[in-house]
Amino acid sequence: MARSLALLDLVVRLGLQLRRRGQAARALTLPLRFAGGTSWEKTRRLPEPSAHDDVRTAAYQLMDAAGLQRAHLTGIVLKGEDLIDAGQVAEQISLDAAHESRLVADQAMDRIRRKFRPASVGPATVAPLHRAS
């Protein structure tokens, strides 16, 4: 459970950072470090460049690909790779109302974060990670 919360927190932070910079990622890399000093890293290309919800799906797929059972993680990082200017990302008409709603929600949350502070809004499940912020 803690792994998925940490990963979701990283997804939210990466998406926010990409949108602030006006960038989109074409790929994600997930490096993991384990107790004992071993590490694992995998990169996954995104179906299309993004700084939004698609990043979460790919991040979870990467974590699943790690095949973690009882491994003790000591480090987790999520990196956006092969970055491009967000203005170069083609906007397609989507019939997926849920996806479109998430994009609108991202924009609204970004405005709230700019007005108040980055941790002022986000997924409720990661709120315990930001108590000290």
Side-chain angles (χ1 to χ4, degrees):
M1 183 67 153
R3 290 176 188 162
S4 60
L5 291 179
L7 185 58
L8 179 57
D9 187 48
L10 290 173
V11 166
V12 169
R13 289 175 186 222
L14 177 61
L16 179 60
Q17 190 173 48
L18 289 170
R19 290 190 301 276
R20 276 187 186 159
R21 292 178 176 178
Q23 296 176 313
R26 291 189 227 195
L28 292 179
T29 298
L30 181 70
L32 303 175
R33 195 173 52 250
F34 302 97
T38 60
S39 62
W40 178 92
E41 181 174 304
K42 187 163 179 99
T43 300
R44 180 173 295 243
R45 298 220 38 98
L46 298 171
E48 57 189 43
S50 180
H52 294 282
D53 196 64
D54 319 34
V55 172
R56 180 182 347 180
T57 303
Y60 284 141
Q61 289 171 345
L62 282 167
M63 186 64 95
D64 289 344
L68 304 177
Q69 297 287 319
R70 295 189 176 136
H72 181 72
L73 279 177
T74 60
I76 179 172
V77 176
L78 183 65
K79 299 188 285 187
E81 303 279 1
D82 197 9
L83 302 179
I84 62 168
D85 183 75
Q88 293 179 325
V89 177
E91 290 187 40
Q92 298 180 15
I93 297 173
S94 172
L95 299 177
D96 183 354
H99 183 262
E100 293 300 315
S101 295
R102 287 189 297 269
L103 294 177
V104 170
D106 274 349
Q107 293 170 356
M109 288 188 291
D110 286 351
R111 286 191 301 273
I112 292 168
R113 287 178 181 120
R114 278 192 300 273
K115 186 171 182 175
F116 298 103
R117 60 186 178 94
S120 61
V121 66
T125 55
V126 300
L129 298 176
H130 295 282
R131 281 189 189 145
S133 302

